[in-house]
Amino acid sequence: MDRILISSCLMGQPVRYDGVGKLVVHSHLTAWKAEGRLIAFCPEIAGGFAVPRLPAEIEPNATAQDVLAGKARILDSDGTDVSAGFIAGAKATLSTAKKAGCSHAILTDGSPSCGSGFVYSGRFDGVRRSGLGVTAAVLAQNGIRIWNQGEISALANTLSLK
């Protein structure tokens, strides 16, 4: 049975920067939860961040890979470098996923941790840009396939093909 790591906020846990969850209701999630396949985890909580906290974004024109290589930072809206917590959370997420035998992860798109298709511009202006968050990048680099909350049916189709 494939295990699936899922962002805790997508399970309704109030761990996001704004102190709320981002509950996703989907029949596949309900079934996978009942089967014990889902492993809920929040990289930002694992990285030591409080709830609520200031929003954070990867610097403009930089990537998660740049952050991981020490060439760019993740800054909160006050300009504080919070990269170390995001990197620590990404490493903790990878460790949890490996221990649980997760081959897939459903992550919250847009997050500097979990973004799988887009992150924000780094200017706190609400503008999206293509890219990964640091946790998504670390998981993908280690062979865990990343999906966002809008791709649950596609993940289910992939799992049924095995």
Side-chain angles (χ1 to χ4, degrees):
M1 169 172 54
D2 289 295
R3 307 282 309 271
I4 304 162
L5 184 101
I6 185 167
S7 296
S8 295
C9 62
L10 297 178
M11 298 300 292
Q13 296 178 19
V15 295
R16 289 171 38 94
Y17 76 93
D18 55 6
V20 300
K22 191 172 185 174
L23 179 64
V24 172
V25 178
H26 194 287
S27 60
H28 291 303
L29 290 181
T30 302
W32 294 335
K33 183 177 180 183
E35 294 168 358
R37 295 174 84 164
L38 296 179
I39 306 298
F41 197 82
C42 178
E44 294 175 23
I45 296 301
F49 292 101
V51 177
R53 57 191 168 275
L54 293 174
E57 297 183 6
I58 298 171
E59 288 183 298
N61 305 312
T63 66
Q65 291 80 4
D66 294 334
V67 172
L68 292 166
K71 298 177 183 177
R73 304 170 296 168
I74 299 175
L75 303 174
D76 71 19
S77 58
D78 276 349
T80 302
D81 183 349
V82 292
S83 305
F86 280 88
I87 293 168
K91 289 177 181 177
T93 305
L94 176 61
S95 176
T96 296
K98 283 184 169 183
K99 286 178 186 170
C102 297
S103 55
H104 299 272
I106 303 169
L107 303 177
T108 308
D109 222 355
S111 159
S113 288
C114 297
S116 61
F118 75 89
V119 292
Y120 288 95
S121 71
R123 295 179 179 87
F124 299 92
D125 56 9
V127 174
R128 296 176 177 188
R129 61 183 166 112
S130 294
L132 298 174
V134 293
T135 296
V138 166
L139 294 176
Q141 289 168 0
N142 285 276
I144 297 172
R145 188 148 177 212
I146 305 303
W147 306 82
N148 68 45
Q149 66 267 31
E151 298 174 317
I152 294 167
S153 292
L155 169 57
N157 289 337
T158 297
L159 293 175
S160 69
L161 295 175
K162 288 187 169 187

